[in-house]
Amino acid sequence: MALMGGFARIGNNEIIILVNDTEKGSDNDPQEAQQALEIAEANLKKAEGKRQTIEANLALRRARTRVEAINTIS
């Protein structure tokens, strides 16, 4: 399972995890995920300005998490 964005709180022997989105690694096509990662890396290199850089970084993190989730299952 890939968790996209969010945070965890640990206290009193309890873990609370709040995330923005989740995906099952098995629901994603490995080739498509790898292509999306490569595109995200290229977009980050081409990003101009703060906003584009932030958006490209977020897309890259999401793509990388998706690939890692798929590779964990494989």
Side-chain angles (χ1 to χ4, degrees), residues 5-65:
F7 64 94
R9 188 179 101 184
I10 303 170
N12 299 325
N13 292 323
E14 182 177 77
I15 299 173
I16 298 172
I17 301 172
L18 300 173
V19 297
N20 295 335
D21 193 15
T22 62
E23 294 181 6
K24 282 184 173 180
S26 60
D27 289 346
N28 291 301
D29 179 282
Q31 289 178 335
E32 286 181 20
Q34 185 62 41
Q35 286 177 335
L37 177 59
E38 291 167 8
I39 291 168
E41 290 170 340
N43 287 340
L44 179 58
K45 290 178 184 175
K46 294 188 301 187
E48 295 179 5
K50 190 173 183 175
R51 181 182 178 102
Q52 280 187 359
T53 302
I54 290 169
E55 289 174 352
N57 265 312
L58 290 173
L60 178 60
R61 288 173 50 196
R62 183 179 204 88
R64 188 176 290 137
T65 299

